[in-house]
Amino acid sequence: MPVVRICVCGDERTGKSSIITSLVKDVFITGKIQPVLPPITIPPSIGTPENVTTTVVDTSALPQERDALRRTIRKSNVVLLVYSDHYSYERVALFWMPYFRSLGVNIPVVLCANKSDLAQHESSAQIAEEEMLPVMAEFKEIDSCIRTSAKEHYNVNEAFFLCQKAVTHPIAPLYDSKEALLKPAAITAIQRIFYLSDKDQDGYLSDEEIRAFQVKCFERPISDEDLLDLKQSIRKFSMESVTDKGIDQQGFLLLNKIFAEKGRHETIWIILRAFHYTDSLSLTDSFLHPKFDIPQFASAELSPAGYRFFVDLFLLHDKDNDGGLSDSELKTLFAPAPGMPSSWEESGFPSSTVRNEAGYITLQGWLAQWSMTTFTEPKTTLEYLAYLGFEEEGGTASALKITKARKRRRRLPKVERNVVLCYVLGASHSGKSALLDAFLNRPFNPTCHPTIKPRTAVNSVEFQGGKQCYLILEELGELEPAILENQAKLDACDLICYTYDSSDPDSFSHIVELRKKYPRLDDLPTVYTALKADQDKTTQRCDLQPDDFTRNLNMAAPLHVSVKWPSIPELFVHIAEAAVHPSSAFPKLDEEPVDRTPLYIAFGATLCAAAAFVIIWRRTTTGGSS
């Protein structure tokens, strides 16, 4: 349970202890009070903000007690600074506020003008204008001011309530009173909240959207009268921010600025916390990164709810209905997030997936990209589901699911996965990059560009019968040695696709050497592919020709394909099927021994039964003879 620790400071004889006793006893104590009261703990009550426990600590201003004062201030969340006359008021600016700053503490201060019963000829407005506002303008640490009287029990409870509120609903992160403006971080958070509440993305909060927003934040509906008053408040400052369509973003910001100026910043905090913001105006870590553990040899995929969310998001932002998200549409889509995922930018998105003729990502490519991100970086997907406004029971983790672990792949007839990863290995110039381009329906480019960084391509593949899966092809580039020596990377891979240039006599020998250098590759399902089959086939310079090599492994011969042929999609179906049915794509150096265990068990059972029969027969015979 959160605890608010209030340090009551001020000059001697300003009424610090009297205020505390008046709070506790609800009456003014006329008798002598000890100079410094012991700490008092106030349990949570209905009127306490955020249901917090409050500890009130009295202090002394005597020089000999300065060490104790310093320790108390540093342990506190808020300071109630009390003055009661002109001398103690002057000391607020001359001693107390500079003293707090010298301690290096960054906590709010509530300024309290006590003994108001002695200055009845002065109004609260006059005191505020002449005393409080000037010192508040000079010291930004002062959160609020209040006039009290311990003797008359006037505003005593309210003073401590302001202290609690200064901690639970601080104004400092939200509003710059000197500039009379919302602070940049607050503006960014409020703009994001407006974006997520604008469900149809038309730039306005309609009456229906405002009602849904009200229920989400305050857990109660807004009446038609209150809605009308809210719009009127905005119209006083900006007529154009309220139209028949609703309230625009500028009007929404203006409304929150009005809340801050009127001291209703707790309303802003209720809104912010309903959207998972912390006191520092960042999203809570538990919201961005919920607990989501993936067992070894398992993987993460989008659940039906996750796919539905990303489909709806795409359709909502494809404003021109051209089947693709333009750069401006993508920018709008990712407005509530800190840009696109960094891994997307590093992989050259959207070149890693399917695009239309204009170069814009299609719905097919959009879903493929998120399927790959969830497979390789599930924490990134969870983070962006939070940024982009996924809301379903169970939180963002319900948008993902964990696949069944697949450890002993040699004996697995089928893996329960809808997303599979294939490493494409082969010699330089064997056609790996062209293969990835063909997978994404890109036209053939005769210019050769060596792959330096790993390159991925992801697309959906349709099996016979209509079922689909997402296939990730990855070309490893110069990181190939590091990746192939990394057991975790090999465990994540579902299939190895060995490629060679059937027109280059030195191409296949690279595969042979690769398998010798990295023997752990034999533990992965494998397919062999002869690329550039549209060119003249040549004899390979190695001990065994590719067909003989695969025959010795009891595997299918290499598939001869060309990215220029219209039949190239069949290769991707073959690769995906091999990944989903791993036992069909393993190199088998020897015939696997026949498992005779059931035969031995059956023979043993028969032998035991025969022995039992003989024993029973002998006993029967012996008994008969007797």
Side-chain angles (χ1 to χ4, degrees):
M1 184 181 294
V3 176
V4 173
R5 191 176 178 88
I6 303 172
C7 176
V8 183
C9 295
D11 287 350
E12 295 300 303
R13 308 192 65 79
T14 54
K16 302 188 297 297
S17 301
S18 295
I19 289 178
I20 297 172
T21 55
S22 182
L23 171 73
V24 175
K25 302 291 187 180
D26 270 343
V27 293
F28 178 66
I29 305 298
T30 56
K32 186 175 178 61
I33 301 173
Q34 62 191 91
V36 178
L37 297 173
I40 295 166
T41 299
I42 304 169
S45 63
I46 295 175
T48 305
E50 299 290 305
N51 197 33
V52 297
T53 298
T54 305
T55 299
V56 181
V57 184
D58 194 8
T59 62
S60 171
L62 296 175
Q64 60 266 32
E65 299 293 336
R66 202 57 49 85
D67 286 342
L69 174 64
R70 182 167 55 250
R71 287 194 300 271
T72 302
I73 291 172
R74 284 181 169 156
K75 290 180 181 178
S76 301
N77 307 112
V78 58
V79 170
L80 179 63
L81 181 55
V82 183
Y83 73 90
S84 61
D85 52 26
H86 182 73
Y87 173 76
S88 57
Y89 166 73
E90 292 291 332
R91 292 255 299 163
V92 169
L94 294 176
F95 171 74
W96 285 106
M97 295 307 299
Y99 177 68
F100 296 153
R101 288 182 174 180
S102 71
L103 296 179
V105 294
N106 183 26
I107 57 176
V109 175
V110 174
L111 191 58
C112 175
N114 194 28
K115 301 186 180 180
S116 62
D117 53 291
L118 300 180
Q120 294 182 351
H121 58 284
E122 295 178 327
S123 67
S124 295
Q126 184 181 355
I127 293 289
E129 185 176 352
E130 295 178 358
E131 295 181 0
M132 295 176 171
L133 292 181
V135 76
M136 282 188 76
E138 184 178 354
F139 299 99
K140 310 309 292 181
E141 303 94 315
I142 299 178
D143 182 88
S144 55
C145 301
I146 190 167
R147 197 176 179 209
T148 64
S149 171
K151 185 176 183 179
E152 297 180 350
H153 198 66
Y154 171 67
N155 275 350
V156 172
N157 289 31
E158 287 78 359
F160 288 95
F161 183 81
L162 285 177
C163 290
Q164 293 169 326
K165 197 167 71 167
V167 177
T168 59
H169 302 100
I171 187 64
L174 304 178
Y175 186 70
D176 187 334
S177 55
K178 186 175 183 180
E179 301 292 335
L181 294 171
L182 290 171
K183 290 189 174 179
I187 291 174
T188 300
I190 293 168
Q191 285 175 333
R192 178 177 175 272
I193 291 170
F194 177 89
Y195 171 95
L196 295 177
S197 303
D198 181 15
K199 298 298 184 182
D200 57 6
Q201 286 299 298
D202 66 345
Y204 293 88
L205 292 185
S206 65
D207 290 357
E208 184 179 346
E209 288 168 339
I210 291 172
R211 288 190 173 95
F213 170 83
Q214 169 78 15
V215 171
K216 176 180 173 66
C217 296
F218 302 97
E219 298 180 349
R220 62 175 182 271
I222 186 171
S223 66
D224 292 341
E225 184 180 351
D226 288 341
L227 182 57
L228 194 62
D229 290 344
L230 184 143
K231 290 181 179 179
Q232 249 348 92
S233 299
I234 298 172
R235 280 197 182 100
K236 289 178 183 177
F237 299 93
S238 177
M239 286 291 295
E240 63 274 12
S241 289
V242 181
T243 68
D244 293 339
K245 291 183 177 181
I247 300 170
D248 66 8
Q249 186 183 93
Q250 195 57 40
F252 189 66
L253 284 167
L254 183 59
L255 180 64
N256 283 274
K257 181 173 176 283
I258 293 169
F259 288 151
E261 289 173 340
K262 291 186 175 182
R264 292 180 56 192
H265 41 281
E266 68 269 25
T267 302
I268 304 175
W269 279 114
I270 291 171
I271 294 169
L272 289 167
R273 285 167 183 162
F275 284 84
H276 307 281
Y277 279 92
T278 65
D279 289 352
S280 61
L281 295 180
S282 61
L283 290 170
T284 60
D285 190 65
S286 60
F287 177 60
L288 289 178
H289 308 112
K291 184 176 174 58
F292 190 80
D293 297 326
I294 302 172
Q296 191 177 11
F297 306 114
S299 65
E301 295 180 359
L302 288 172
S303 68
Y307 278 115
R308 184 168 59 248
F309 173 76
F310 284 117
V311 168
D312 293 343
L313 202 63
F314 181 97
L315 297 176
L316 182 63
H317 288 85
D318 182 18
K319 295 296 185 182
D320 52 9
N321 295 317
D322 65 345
L325 293 180
S326 64
D327 293 344
S328 61
E329 289 170 338
L330 275 173
K331 185 178 179 181
T332 303
L333 188 152
F334 282 107
M340 284 190 292
S342 57
S343 58
W344 289 24
E345 295 176 350
E346 290 167 6
S347 64
F349 174 85
S351 64
S352 56
T353 190
V354 184
R355 296 179 291 181
N356 61 17
E357 293 179 355
Y360 302 150
I361 185 170
T362 63
L363 178 58
Q364 179 183 350
W366 174 252
L367 296 178
Q369 184 73 23
W370 279 113
S371 297
M372 178 173 68
T373 303
T374 306
F375 180 87
T376 57
E377 306 171 281
K379 291 185 184 301
T380 298
T381 299
L382 288 170
E383 187 177 343
Y384 273 79
L385 284 165
Y387 282 131
L388 298 173
F390 178 85
E391 291 180 340
E392 282 205 19
E393 189 176 351
T396 54
S398 65
L400 272 61
K401 66 177 183 178
I402 297 174
T403 64
K404 187 177 179 181
R406 48 110 175 95
K407 183 177 180 181
R408 302 179 63 186
R409 287 187 270 185
R410 286 182 181 273
R411 297 184 180 276
L412 274 179
K414 185 178 180 182
V415 294
E416 301 298 326
R417 292 191 171 192
N418 295 315
V419 184
V420 289
L421 170 63
C422 172
Y423 289 158
V424 181
L425 306 181
S428 297
H429 309 294
S430 62
K432 300 187 295 296
S433 297
L435 184 67
L436 266 64
D437 286 338
F439 184 47
L440 300 176
N441 304 317
R442 308 274 162 77
F444 174 70
N445 184 359
T447 307
C448 180
H449 298 285
T451 301
I452 308 300
K453 296 193 303 182
R455 181 193 168 196
T456 56
V458 59
N459 199 353
S460 59
V461 175
E462 186 172 333
F463 298 132
Q464 189 173 5
K467 186 178 179 182
Q468 286 189 337
C469 87
Y470 288 98
L471 173 62
I472 305 167
L473 297 182
E474 184 168 356
E475 187 183 359
L476 306 183
E478 292 185 349
L479 290 182
E480 181 178 284
I483 292 174
L484 297 184
E485 288 173 354
N486 187 324
Q487 187 60 51
K489 293 286 187 181
L490 294 180
D491 288 341
C493 177
D494 293 282
L495 184 78
I496 298 292
C497 177
Y498 290 114
T499 63
Y500 70 96
D501 179 357
S502 60
S503 65
D504 179 358
D506 297 314
S507 190
F508 190 77
S509 61
H510 178 81
I511 295 175
V512 178
E513 294 302 319
L514 205 61
R515 294 184 74 248
K516 288 180 181 178
K517 186 175 180 180
Y518 304 104
R520 284 186 292 187
L521 292 176
D522 289 349
D523 296 331
L524 296 175
T526 304
V527 295
Y528 291 83
T529 306
L531 297 174
K532 304 184 183 181
D534 57 308
Q535 301 181 20
D536 292 336
K537 181 181 177 182
T538 187
T539 302
Q540 296 293 315
R541 294 193 186 105
C542 54
D543 294 338
L544 292 173
Q545 293 302 298
D547 286 12
D548 297 329
F549 182 86
T550 52
R551 190 180 301 114
N552 283 359
L553 295 175
N554 294 318
M555 294 192 69
L559 291 173
H560 288 256
V561 297
S562 169
V563 296
K564 298 179 181 179
W565 292 349
S567 60
I568 188 66
E570 296 175 11
L571 170 65
F572 306 125
V573 174
H574 174 71
I575 291 172
E577 285 180 337
V580 173
H581 301 88
S583 61
S584 66
F586 264 102
K588 301 170 184 173
L589 297 176
D590 295 301
E591 287 294 333
E592 294 184 359
V594 178
D595 187 2
R596 292 189 170 86
T597 303
L599 180 62
Y600 294 149
I601 293 173
F603 179 73
T606 304
L607 191 64
C608 290
F613 174 77
V614 170
I615 291 170
I616 294 170
W617 179 76
R618 283 182 177 178
R619 286 179 177 176
T620 305
T621 305
T622 304
S625 299
S626 299

